[in-house]
Amino acid sequence: VISNLPYMMLCCIPLFAFVLKILYIRRGIFYIDHLIYALHIHTFAYVGVMLIGLIAMGLNRTVPGPVAGWIIGLLWSTFAVQIFLSIRRVYRQGWFFTIFKFFVGGFVYLIVLCMGLVATFLATLKWS
């Protein structure tokens, strides 16, 4: 299953762009623009998760537990805020609609990722 996860994530990028297209249907933005933005968000997410993971491993070895936990929590919060501000800047909406669409889009994409994970698991079982 682990070796098939990159393929699953690659297939989920267009689905994320579709979620963005539905959320911002009245904005008149083409699907390809949402797809390019989805590629940027996913690239940022992959790099961010890797960096936070490496920093967390280093902090857990050098810094006392509670301090490392707070620093790692701050890094994850900064990560989420950066994605939120990116969405706000790209789609140029007010704070209320951006917050609402950030959470709705995140929830819908979480469901898409879970369905993709189940499909990947089942496909791996069938073809392995």
Side-chain angles (χ1 to χ4, degrees), residues 18-54:
F18 181 70
V19 169
L20 291 173
K21 179 68 177 167
I22 297 300
L23 285 174
Y24 295 97
I25 197 158
R26 290 185 167 184
R27 305 287 291 182
I29 300 172
F30 294 115
Y31 174 77
I32 191 71
D33 295 326
H34 294 292
L35 184 61
I36 292 168
Y37 181 65
L39 286 168
H40 283 104
I41 286 291
H42 279 80
T43 303
F44 173 75
Y46 297 144
V47 171
V49 167
M50 284 190 306
L51 287 176
I52 292 172
L54 291 172

PDB file of all heavy atoms in Angstrom, residues 18-54:
ATOM      1  N   PHE A  18     -11.069  19.929  -8.681  1.00  0.00           N
ATOM      2  CA  PHE A  18     -12.516  19.882  -8.907  1.00  0.00           C
ATOM      3  C   PHE A  18     -13.271  20.414  -7.692  1.00  0.00           C
ATOM      4  O   PHE A  18     -14.256  21.148  -7.838  1.00  0.00           O
ATOM      5  CB  PHE A  18     -12.963  18.458  -9.242  1.00  0.00           C
ATOM      6  CG  PHE A  18     -14.421  18.340  -9.515  1.00  0.00           C
ATOM      7  CD1 PHE A  18     -14.969  18.876 -10.669  1.00  0.00           C
ATOM      8  CD2 PHE A  18     -15.262  17.703  -8.619  1.00  0.00           C
ATOM      9  CE1 PHE A  18     -16.329  18.783 -10.931  1.00  0.00           C
ATOM     10  CE2 PHE A  18     -16.618  17.598  -8.864  1.00  0.00           C
ATOM     11  CZ  PHE A  18     -17.152  18.141 -10.025  1.00  0.00           C
ATOM     12  N   VAL A  19     -12.810  20.075  -6.497  1.00  0.00           N
ATOM     13  CA  VAL A  19     -13.426  20.614  -5.275  1.00  0.00           C
ATOM     14  C   VAL A  19     -13.308  22.140  -5.269  1.00  0.00           C
ATOM     15  O   VAL A  19     -14.272  22.848  -4.956  1.00  0.00           O
ATOM     16  CB  VAL A  19     -12.772  20.007  -4.011  1.00  0.00           C
ATOM     17  CG1 VAL A  19     -13.209  20.740  -2.752  1.00  0.00           C
ATOM     18  CG2 VAL A  19     -13.092  18.524  -3.912  1.00  0.00           C
ATOM     19  N   LEU A  20     -12.136  22.654  -5.655  1.00  0.00           N
ATOM     20  CA  LEU A  20     -11.963  24.108  -5.731  1.00  0.00           C
ATOM     21  C   LEU A  20     -12.886  24.719  -6.785  1.00  0.00           C
ATOM     22  O   LEU A  20     -13.446  25.800  -6.572  1.00  0.00           O
ATOM     23  CB  LEU A  20     -10.511  24.453  -6.044  1.00  0.00           C
ATOM     24  CG  LEU A  20      -9.495  24.171  -4.935  1.00  0.00           C
ATOM     25  CD1 LEU A  20      -8.080  24.401  -5.441  1.00  0.00           C
ATOM     26  CD2 LEU A  20      -9.779  25.035  -3.720  1.00  0.00           C
ATOM     27  N   LYS A  21     -13.035  24.041  -7.914  1.00  0.00           N
ATOM     28  CA  LYS A  21     -13.919  24.539  -8.976  1.00  0.00           C
ATOM     29  C   LYS A  21     -15.351  24.640  -8.469  1.00  0.00           C
ATOM     30  O   LYS A  21     -16.039  25.629  -8.743  1.00  0.00           O
ATOM     31  CB  LYS A  21     -13.843  23.607 -10.197  1.00  0.00           C
ATOM     32  CG  LYS A  21     -14.735  24.003 -11.337  1.00  0.00           C
ATOM     33  CD  LYS A  21     -14.280  25.288 -11.986  1.00  0.00           C
ATOM     34  CE  LYS A  21     -15.154  25.613 -13.180  1.00  0.00           C
ATOM     35  NZ  LYS A  21     -14.946  26.967 -13.649  1.00  0.00           N
ATOM     36  N   ILE A  22     -15.801  23.654  -7.714  1.00  0.00           N
ATOM     37  CA  ILE A  22     -17.160  23.685  -7.158  1.00  0.00           C
ATOM     38  C   ILE A  22     -17.288  24.802  -6.124  1.00  0.00           C
ATOM     39  O   ILE A  22     -18.281  25.541  -6.109  1.00  0.00           O
ATOM     40  CB  ILE A  22     -17.515  22.312  -6.531  1.00  0.00           C
ATOM     41  CG1 ILE A  22     -17.518  21.225  -7.589  1.00  0.00           C
ATOM     42  CG2 ILE A  22     -18.843  22.373  -5.799  1.00  0.00           C
ATOM     43  CD1 ILE A  22     -18.497  21.434  -8.707  1.00  0.00           C
ATOM     44  N   LEU A  23     -16.285  24.950  -5.260  1.00  0.00           N
ATOM     45  CA  LEU A  23     -16.353  25.980  -4.221  1.00  0.00           C
ATOM     46  C   LEU A  23     -16.345  27.391  -4.795  1.00  0.00           C
ATOM     47  O   LEU A  23     -16.962  28.296  -4.236  1.00  0.00           O
ATOM     48  CB  LEU A  23     -15.179  25.832  -3.245  1.00  0.00           C
ATOM     49  CG  LEU A  23     -15.268  24.692  -2.242  1.00  0.00           C
ATOM     50  CD1 LEU A  23     -13.975  24.589  -1.463  1.00  0.00           C
ATOM     51  CD2 LEU A  23     -16.437  24.903  -1.294  1.00  0.00           C
ATOM     52  N   TYR A  24     -15.643  27.573  -5.907  1.00  0.00           N
ATOM     53  CA  TYR A  24     -15.506  28.910  -6.496  1.00  0.00           C
ATOM     54  C   TYR A  24     -16.141  28.955  -7.884  1.00  0.00           C
ATOM     55  O   TYR A  24     -15.623  29.576  -8.797  1.00  0.00           O
ATOM     56  CB  TYR A  24     -14.021  29.296  -6.560  1.00  0.00           C
ATOM     57  CG  TYR A  24     -13.415  29.431  -5.193  1.00  0.00           C
ATOM     58  CD1 TYR A  24     -12.694  28.390  -4.620  1.00  0.00           C
ATOM     59  CD2 TYR A  24     -13.592  30.592  -4.454  1.00  0.00           C
ATOM     60  CE1 TYR A  24     -12.155  28.505  -3.360  1.00  0.00           C
ATOM     61  CE2 TYR A  24     -13.065  30.722  -3.188  1.00  0.00           C
ATOM     62  CZ  TYR A  24     -12.344  29.671  -2.651  1.00  0.00           C
ATOM     63  OH  TYR A  24     -11.816  29.789  -1.393  1.00  0.00           O
ATOM     64  N   ILE A  25     -17.300  28.332  -8.032  1.00  0.00           N
ATOM     65  CA  ILE A  25     -17.953  28.217  -9.336  1.00  0.00           C
ATOM     66  C   ILE A  25     -18.400  29.578  -9.872  1.00  0.00           C
ATOM     67  O   ILE A  25     -18.388  29.815 -11.072  1.00  0.00           O
ATOM     68  CB  ILE A  25     -19.118  27.212  -9.271  1.00  0.00           C
ATOM     69  CG1 ILE A  25     -19.495  26.786 -10.669  1.00  0.00           C
ATOM     70  CG2 ILE A  25     -20.299  27.773  -8.494  1.00  0.00           C
ATOM     71  CD1 ILE A  25     -20.220  25.476 -10.725  1.00  0.00           C
ATOM     72  N   ARG A  26     -18.767  30.471  -8.991  1.00  0.00           N
ATOM     73  CA  ARG A  26     -19.242  31.788  -9.436  1.00  0.00           C
ATOM     74  C   ARG A  26     -18.119  32.753  -9.769  1.00  0.00           C
ATOM     75  O   ARG A  26     -18.378  33.851 -10.249  1.00  0.00           O
ATOM     76  CB  ARG A  26     -20.124  32.410  -8.356  1.00  0.00           C
ATOM     77  CG  ARG A  26     -21.437  31.697  -8.205  1.00  0.00           C
ATOM     78  CD  ARG A  26     -22.293  32.424  -7.241  1.00  0.00           C
ATOM     79  NE  ARG A  26     -23.654  31.936  -7.322  1.00  0.00           N
ATOM     80  CZ  ARG A  26     -24.641  32.446  -6.651  1.00  0.00           C
ATOM     81  NH1 ARG A  26     -24.423  33.456  -5.834  1.00  0.00           N
ATOM     82  NH2 ARG A  26     -25.841  31.961  -6.775  1.00  0.00           N
ATOM     83  N   ARG A  27     -16.897  32.384  -9.528  1.00  0.00           N
ATOM     84  CA  ARG A  27     -15.768  33.284  -9.765  1.00  0.00           C
ATOM     85  C   ARG A  27     -15.356  33.326 -11.231  1.00  0.00           C
ATOM     86  O   ARG A  27     -14.592  34.191 -11.624  1.00  0.00           O
ATOM     87  CB  ARG A  27     -14.563  32.870  -8.914  1.00  0.00           C
ATOM     88  CG  ARG A  27     -14.820  32.765  -7.427  1.00  0.00           C
ATOM     89  CD  ARG A  27     -14.971  34.071  -6.769  1.00  0.00           C
ATOM     90  NE  ARG A  27     -13.699  34.769  -6.763  1.00  0.00           N
ATOM     91  CZ  ARG A  27     -13.524  35.932  -6.204  1.00  0.00           C
ATOM     92  NH1 ARG A  27     -14.519  36.523  -5.605  1.00  0.00           N
ATOM     93  NH2 ARG A  27     -12.362  36.526  -6.245  1.00  0.00           N
ATOM     94  N   GLY A  28     -15.809  32.371 -12.029  1.00  0.00           N
ATOM     95  CA  GLY A  28     -15.464  32.364 -13.450  1.00  0.00           C
ATOM     96  C   GLY A  28     -14.022  31.962 -13.713  1.00  0.00           C
ATOM     97  O   GLY A  28     -13.436  32.362 -14.715  1.00  0.00           O
ATOM     98  N   ILE A  29     -13.460  31.158 -12.828  1.00  0.00           N
ATOM     99  CA  ILE A  29     -12.077  30.714 -12.981  1.00  0.00           C
ATOM    100  C   ILE A  29     -12.089  29.370 -13.695  1.00  0.00           C
ATOM    101  O   ILE A  29     -12.886  28.492 -13.380  1.00  0.00           O
ATOM    102  CB  ILE A  29     -11.395  30.597 -11.601  1.00  0.00           C
ATOM    103  CG1 ILE A  29     -11.409  31.944 -10.893  1.00  0.00           C
ATOM    104  CG2 ILE A  29      -9.973  30.077 -11.745  1.00  0.00           C
ATOM    105  CD1 ILE A  29     -10.942  31.901  -9.458  1.00  0.00           C
ATOM    106  N   PHE A  30     -11.193  29.206 -14.654  1.00  0.00           N
ATOM    107  CA  PHE A  30     -11.123  27.965 -15.411  1.00  0.00           C
ATOM    108  C   PHE A  30     -10.594  26.829 -14.535  1.00  0.00           C
ATOM    109  O   PHE A  30      -9.815  27.041 -13.609  1.00  0.00           O
ATOM    110  CB  PHE A  30     -10.220  28.119 -16.632  1.00  0.00           C
ATOM    111  CG  PHE A  30     -10.759  29.075 -17.652  1.00  0.00           C
ATOM    112  CD1 PHE A  30     -10.090  30.249 -17.921  1.00  0.00           C
ATOM    113  CD2 PHE A  30     -11.935  28.794 -18.329  1.00  0.00           C
ATOM    114  CE1 PHE A  30     -10.579  31.145 -18.854  1.00  0.00           C
ATOM    115  CE2 PHE A  30     -12.430  29.680 -19.271  1.00  0.00           C
ATOM    116  CZ  PHE A  30     -11.754  30.857 -19.526  1.00  0.00           C
ATOM    117  N   TYR A  31     -10.987  25.609 -14.887  1.00  0.00           N
ATOM    118  CA  TYR A  31     -10.539  24.427 -14.144  1.00  0.00           C
ATOM    119  C   TYR A  31      -9.010  24.322 -14.144  1.00  0.00           C
ATOM    120  O   TYR A  31      -8.405  23.952 -13.140  1.00  0.00           O
ATOM    121  CB  TYR A  31     -11.167  23.160 -14.733  1.00  0.00           C
ATOM    122  CG  TYR A  31     -10.643  21.898 -14.113  1.00  0.00           C
ATOM    123  CD1 TYR A  31     -11.079  21.483 -12.864  1.00  0.00           C
ATOM    124  CD2 TYR A  31      -9.692  21.125 -14.768  1.00  0.00           C
ATOM    125  CE1 TYR A  31     -10.596  20.337 -12.275  1.00  0.00           C
ATOM    126  CE2 TYR A  31      -9.209  19.977 -14.191  1.00  0.00           C
ATOM    127  CZ  TYR A  31      -9.653  19.585 -12.947  1.00  0.00           C
ATOM    128  OH  TYR A  31      -9.157  18.455 -12.372  1.00  0.00           O
ATOM    129  N   ILE A  32      -8.384  24.640 -15.257  1.00  0.00           N
ATOM    130  CA  ILE A  32      -6.926  24.517 -15.354  1.00  0.00           C
ATOM    131  C   ILE A  32      -6.235  25.433 -14.332  1.00  0.00           C
ATOM    132  O   ILE A  32      -5.185  25.085 -13.793  1.00  0.00           O
ATOM    133  CB  ILE A  32      -6.429  24.781 -16.792  1.00  0.00           C
ATOM    134  CG1 ILE A  32      -4.967  24.386 -16.954  1.00  0.00           C
ATOM    135  CG2 ILE A  32      -6.605  26.227 -17.178  1.00  0.00           C
ATOM    136  CD1 ILE A  32      -4.735  22.915 -16.932  1.00  0.00           C
ATOM    137  N   ASP A  33      -6.828  26.584 -14.060  1.00  0.00           N
ATOM    138  CA  ASP A  33      -6.264  27.477 -13.042  1.00  0.00           C
ATOM    139  C   ASP A  33      -6.364  26.847 -11.654  1.00  0.00           C
ATOM    140  O   ASP A  33      -5.431  26.956 -10.851  1.00  0.00           O
ATOM    141  CB  ASP A  33      -6.978  28.824 -13.070  1.00  0.00           C
ATOM    142  CG  ASP A  33      -6.756  29.569 -14.373  1.00  0.00           C
ATOM    143  OD1 ASP A  33      -5.655  29.448 -14.946  1.00  0.00           O
ATOM    144  OD2 ASP A  33      -7.690  30.260 -14.814  1.00  0.00           O
ATOM    145  N   HIS A  34      -7.475  26.196 -11.382  1.00  0.00           N
ATOM    146  CA  HIS A  34      -7.618  25.488 -10.113  1.00  0.00           C
ATOM    147  C   HIS A  34      -6.612  24.333 -10.043  1.00  0.00           C
ATOM    148  O   HIS A  34      -6.049  24.061  -8.984  1.00  0.00           O
ATOM    149  CB  HIS A  34      -9.036  24.935  -9.944  1.00  0.00           C
ATOM    150  CG  HIS A  34     -10.082  25.976  -9.809  1.00  0.00           C
ATOM    151  ND1 HIS A  34     -10.185  26.808  -8.716  1.00  0.00           N
ATOM    152  CD2 HIS A  34     -11.090  26.320 -10.641  1.00  0.00           C
ATOM    153  CE1 HIS A  34     -11.215  27.612  -8.871  1.00  0.00           C
ATOM    154  NE2 HIS A  34     -11.781  27.343 -10.037  1.00  0.00           N
ATOM    155  N   LEU A  35      -6.397  23.663 -11.160  1.00  0.00           N
ATOM    156  CA  LEU A  35      -5.455  22.547 -11.198  1.00  0.00           C
ATOM    157  C   LEU A  35      -4.026  23.014 -10.924  1.00  0.00           C
ATOM    158  O   LEU A  35      -3.293  22.375 -10.161  1.00  0.00           O
ATOM    159  CB  LEU A  35      -5.540  21.821 -12.543  1.00  0.00           C
ATOM    160  CG  LEU A  35      -4.679  20.575 -12.708  1.00  0.00           C
ATOM    161  CD1 LEU A  35      -5.073  19.526 -11.672  1.00  0.00           C
ATOM    162  CD2 LEU A  35      -4.816  20.025 -14.117  1.00  0.00           C
ATOM    163  N   ILE A  36      -3.642  24.121 -11.504  1.00  0.00           N
ATOM    164  CA  ILE A  36      -2.304  24.668 -11.249  1.00  0.00           C
ATOM    165  C   ILE A  36      -2.160  25.058  -9.783  1.00  0.00           C
ATOM    166  O   ILE A  36      -1.141  24.768  -9.141  1.00  0.00           O
ATOM    167  CB  ILE A  36      -2.030  25.874 -12.185  1.00  0.00           C
ATOM    168  CG1 ILE A  36      -1.906  25.389 -13.625  1.00  0.00           C
ATOM    169  CG2 ILE A  36      -0.779  26.631 -11.753  1.00  0.00           C
ATOM    170  CD1 ILE A  36      -1.915  26.489 -14.648  1.00  0.00           C
ATOM    171  N   TYR A  37      -3.184  25.684  -9.236  1.00  0.00           N
ATOM    172  CA  TYR A  37      -3.138  26.044  -7.814  1.00  0.00           C
ATOM    173  C   TYR A  37      -3.093  24.792  -6.940  1.00  0.00           C
ATOM    174  O   TYR A  37      -2.369  24.745  -5.942  1.00  0.00           O
ATOM    175  CB  TYR A  37      -4.339  26.919  -7.449  1.00  0.00           C
ATOM    176  CG  TYR A  37      -4.334  27.333  -6.009  1.00  0.00           C
ATOM    177  CD1 TYR A  37      -3.336  28.163  -5.520  1.00  0.00           C
ATOM    178  CD2 TYR A  37      -5.298  26.870  -5.134  1.00  0.00           C
ATOM    179  CE1 TYR A  37      -3.312  28.531  -4.185  1.00  0.00           C
ATOM    180  CE2 TYR A  37      -5.288  27.230  -3.804  1.00  0.00           C
ATOM    181  CZ  TYR A  37      -4.294  28.058  -3.337  1.00  0.00           C
ATOM    182  OH  TYR A  37      -4.265  28.401  -2.018  1.00  0.00           O
ATOM    183  N   ALA A  38      -3.839  23.750  -7.319  1.00  0.00           N
ATOM    184  CA  ALA A  38      -3.818  22.491  -6.564  1.00  0.00           C
ATOM    185  C   ALA A  38      -2.418  21.876  -6.591  1.00  0.00           C
ATOM    186  O   ALA A  38      -1.946  21.344  -5.577  1.00  0.00           O
ATOM    187  CB  ALA A  38      -4.841  21.513  -7.134  1.00  0.00           C
ATOM    188  N   LEU A  39      -1.741  21.952  -7.727  1.00  0.00           N
ATOM    189  CA  LEU A  39      -0.361  21.465  -7.795  1.00  0.00           C
ATOM    190  C   LEU A  39       0.550  22.253  -6.859  1.00  0.00           C
ATOM    191  O   LEU A  39       1.403  21.676  -6.173  1.00  0.00           O
ATOM    192  CB  LEU A  39       0.157  21.546  -9.227  1.00  0.00           C
ATOM    193  CG  LEU A  39      -0.392  20.508 -10.194  1.00  0.00           C
ATOM    194  CD1 LEU A  39      -0.037  20.872 -11.624  1.00  0.00           C
ATOM    195  CD2 LEU A  39       0.142  19.133  -9.839  1.00  0.00           C
ATOM    196  N   HIS A  40       0.368  23.564  -6.817  1.00  0.00           N
ATOM    197  CA  HIS A  40       1.181  24.391  -5.912  1.00  0.00           C
ATOM    198  C   HIS A  40       0.915  24.040  -4.452  1.00  0.00           C
ATOM    199  O   HIS A  40       1.850  23.909  -3.650  1.00  0.00           O
ATOM    200  CB  HIS A  40       0.902  25.878  -6.150  1.00  0.00           C
ATOM    201  CG  HIS A  40       1.557  26.418  -7.369  1.00  0.00           C
ATOM    202  ND1 HIS A  40       0.854  26.672  -8.518  1.00  0.00           N
ATOM    203  CD2 HIS A  40       2.840  26.744  -7.623  1.00  0.00           C
ATOM    204  CE1 HIS A  40       1.687  27.140  -9.431  1.00  0.00           C
ATOM    205  NE2 HIS A  40       2.894  27.188  -8.923  1.00  0.00           N
ATOM    206  N   ILE A  41      -0.349  23.905  -4.091  1.00  0.00           N
ATOM    207  CA  ILE A  41      -0.709  23.575  -2.702  1.00  0.00           C
ATOM    208  C   ILE A  41      -0.143  22.215  -2.314  1.00  0.00           C
ATOM    209  O   ILE A  41       0.403  22.049  -1.218  1.00  0.00           O
ATOM    210  CB  ILE A  41      -2.250  23.598  -2.526  1.00  0.00           C
ATOM    211  CG1 ILE A  41      -2.748  25.029  -2.525  1.00  0.00           C
ATOM    212  CG2 ILE A  41      -2.678  22.890  -1.246  1.00  0.00           C
ATOM    213  CD1 ILE A  41      -2.352  25.826  -1.319  1.00  0.00           C
ATOM    214  N   HIS A  42      -0.262  21.237  -3.198  1.00  0.00           N
ATOM    215  CA  HIS A  42       0.254  19.915  -2.874  1.00  0.00           C
ATOM    216  C   HIS A  42       1.779  19.913  -2.772  1.00  0.00           C
ATOM    217  O   HIS A  42       2.339  19.252  -1.901  1.00  0.00           O
ATOM    218  CB  HIS A  42      -0.228  18.884  -3.897  1.00  0.00           C
ATOM    219  CG  HIS A  42      -1.615  18.413  -3.639  1.00  0.00           C
ATOM    220  ND1 HIS A  42      -2.719  19.140  -4.002  1.00  0.00           N
ATOM    221  CD2 HIS A  42      -2.080  17.300  -3.032  1.00  0.00           C
ATOM    222  CE1 HIS A  42      -3.803  18.488  -3.636  1.00  0.00           C
ATOM    223  NE2 HIS A  42      -3.442  17.366  -3.032  1.00  0.00           N
ATOM    224  N   THR A  43       2.434  20.644  -3.632  1.00  0.00           N
ATOM    225  CA  THR A  43       3.891  20.748  -3.536  1.00  0.00           C
ATOM    226  C   THR A  43       4.291  21.373  -2.212  1.00  0.00           C
ATOM    227  O   THR A  43       5.188  20.875  -1.517  1.00  0.00           O
ATOM    228  CB  THR A  43       4.448  21.578  -4.705  1.00  0.00           C
ATOM    229  OG1 THR A  43       4.049  20.969  -5.928  1.00  0.00           O
ATOM    230  CG2 THR A  43       5.958  21.665  -4.640  1.00  0.00           C
ATOM    231  N   PHE A  44       3.632  22.455  -1.844  1.00  0.00           N
ATOM    232  CA  PHE A  44       3.902  23.084  -0.552  1.00  0.00           C
ATOM    233  C   PHE A  44       3.637  22.109   0.587  1.00  0.00           C
ATOM    234  O   PHE A  44       4.420  22.013   1.542  1.00  0.00           O
ATOM    235  CB  PHE A  44       3.050  24.348  -0.381  1.00  0.00           C
ATOM    236  CG  PHE A  44       3.155  24.944   0.987  1.00  0.00           C
ATOM    237  CD1 PHE A  44       4.280  25.653   1.364  1.00  0.00           C
ATOM    238  CD2 PHE A  44       2.124  24.786   1.899  1.00  0.00           C
ATOM    239  CE1 PHE A  44       4.379  26.195   2.638  1.00  0.00           C
ATOM    240  CE2 PHE A  44       2.215  25.320   3.169  1.00  0.00           C
ATOM    241  CZ  PHE A  44       3.346  26.032   3.537  1.00  0.00           C
ATOM    242  N   ALA A  45       2.549  21.357   0.490  1.00  0.00           N
ATOM    243  CA  ALA A  45       2.198  20.408   1.549  1.00  0.00           C
ATOM    244  C   ALA A  45       3.247  19.307   1.670  1.00  0.00           C
ATOM    245  O   ALA A  45       3.661  18.963   2.786  1.00  0.00           O
ATOM    246  CB  ALA A  45       0.821  19.810   1.286  1.00  0.00           C
ATOM    247  N   TYR A  46       3.706  18.763   0.557  1.00  0.00           N
ATOM    248  CA  TYR A  46       4.710  17.699   0.618  1.00  0.00           C
ATOM    249  C   TYR A  46       6.008  18.210   1.233  1.00  0.00           C
ATOM    250  O   TYR A  46       6.586  17.563   2.109  1.00  0.00           O
ATOM    251  CB  TYR A  46       4.994  17.120  -0.766  1.00  0.00           C
ATOM    252  CG  TYR A  46       3.806  16.461  -1.414  1.00  0.00           C
ATOM    253  CD1 TYR A  46       3.612  16.542  -2.778  1.00  0.00           C
ATOM    254  CD2 TYR A  46       2.865  15.758  -0.673  1.00  0.00           C
ATOM    255  CE1 TYR A  46       2.522  15.947  -3.382  1.00  0.00           C
ATOM    256  CE2 TYR A  46       1.774  15.166  -1.263  1.00  0.00           C
ATOM    257  CZ  TYR A  46       1.617  15.263  -2.625  1.00  0.00           C
ATOM    258  OH  TYR A  46       0.532  14.670  -3.225  1.00  0.00           O
ATOM    259  N   VAL A  47       6.464  19.353   0.767  1.00  0.00           N
ATOM    260  CA  VAL A  47       7.710  19.917   1.304  1.00  0.00           C
ATOM    261  C   VAL A  47       7.531  20.286   2.779  1.00  0.00           C
ATOM    262  O   VAL A  47       8.399  20.001   3.608  1.00  0.00           O
ATOM    263  CB  VAL A  47       8.157  21.137   0.466  1.00  0.00           C
ATOM    264  CG1 VAL A  47       9.322  21.860   1.122  1.00  0.00           C
ATOM    265  CG2 VAL A  47       8.534  20.704  -0.937  1.00  0.00           C
ATOM    266  N   GLY A  48       6.389  20.888   3.111  1.00  0.00           N
ATOM    267  CA  GLY A  48       6.132  21.279   4.497  1.00  0.00           C
ATOM    268  C   GLY A  48       6.076  20.096   5.437  1.00  0.00           C
ATOM    269  O   GLY A  48       6.662  20.119   6.525  1.00  0.00           O
ATOM    270  N   VAL A  49       5.389  19.044   5.030  1.00  0.00           N
ATOM    271  CA  VAL A  49       5.282  17.856   5.877  1.00  0.00           C
ATOM    272  C   VAL A  49       6.663  17.221   6.069  1.00  0.00           C
ATOM    273  O   VAL A  49       7.018  16.803   7.177  1.00  0.00           O
ATOM    274  CB  VAL A  49       4.261  16.853   5.287  1.00  0.00           C
ATOM    275  CG1 VAL A  49       4.364  15.498   5.962  1.00  0.00           C
ATOM    276  CG2 VAL A  49       2.858  17.411   5.421  1.00  0.00           C
ATOM    277  N   MET A  50       7.449  17.155   4.997  1.00  0.00           N
ATOM    278  CA  MET A  50       8.798  16.587   5.138  1.00  0.00           C
ATOM    279  C   MET A  50       9.658  17.428   6.077  1.00  0.00           C
ATOM    280  O   MET A  50      10.341  16.887   6.958  1.00  0.00           O
ATOM    281  CB  MET A  50       9.472  16.478   3.770  1.00  0.00           C
ATOM    282  CG  MET A  50       8.954  15.342   2.936  1.00  0.00           C
ATOM    283  SD  MET A  50       9.911  14.995   1.450  1.00  0.00           S
ATOM    284  CE  MET A  50       9.971  16.567   0.635  1.00  0.00           C
ATOM    285  N   LEU A  51       9.628  18.751   5.906  1.00  0.00           N
ATOM    286  CA  LEU A  51      10.437  19.616   6.766  1.00  0.00           C
ATOM    287  C   LEU A  51       9.983  19.559   8.216  1.00  0.00           C
ATOM    288  O   LEU A  51      10.811  19.468   9.133  1.00  0.00           O
ATOM    289  CB  LEU A  51      10.397  21.053   6.253  1.00  0.00           C
ATOM    290  CG  LEU A  51      11.186  21.329   4.978  1.00  0.00           C
ATOM    291  CD1 LEU A  51      10.980  22.763   4.528  1.00  0.00           C
ATOM    292  CD2 LEU A  51      12.658  21.038   5.188  1.00  0.00           C
ATOM    293  N   ILE A  52       8.685  19.598   8.437  1.00  0.00           N
ATOM    294  CA  ILE A  52       8.184  19.534   9.812  1.00  0.00           C
ATOM    295  C   ILE A  52       8.523  18.182  10.431  1.00  0.00           C
ATOM    296  O   ILE A  52       8.892  18.104  11.603  1.00  0.00           O
ATOM    297  CB  ILE A  52       6.669  19.830   9.861  1.00  0.00           C
ATOM    298  CG1 ILE A  52       6.410  21.292   9.511  1.00  0.00           C
ATOM    299  CG2 ILE A  52       6.091  19.504  11.236  1.00  0.00           C
ATOM    300  CD1 ILE A  52       4.950  21.656   9.341  1.00  0.00           C
ATOM    301  N   GLY A  53       8.443  17.125   9.650  1.00  0.00           N
ATOM    302  CA  GLY A  53       8.820  15.801  10.149  1.00  0.00           C
ATOM    303  C   GLY A  53      10.285  15.736  10.543  1.00  0.00           C
ATOM    304  O   GLY A  53      10.637  15.207  11.606  1.00  0.00           O
ATOM    305  N   LEU A  54      11.149  16.282   9.688  1.00  0.00           N
ATOM    306  CA  LEU A  54      12.582  16.288  10.009  1.00  0.00           C
ATOM    307  C   LEU A  54      12.882  17.157  11.225  1.00  0.00           C
ATOM    308  O   LEU A  54      13.680  16.778  12.094  1.00  0.00           O
ATOM    309  CB  LEU A  54      13.387  16.765   8.793  1.00  0.00           C
ATOM    310  CG  LEU A  54      13.421  15.814   7.605  1.00  0.00           C
ATOM    311  CD1 LEU A  54      14.076  16.489   6.405  1.00  0.00           C
ATOM    312  CD2 LEU A  54      14.152  14.533   7.972  1.00  0.00           C
TER     313      LEU A  54
END
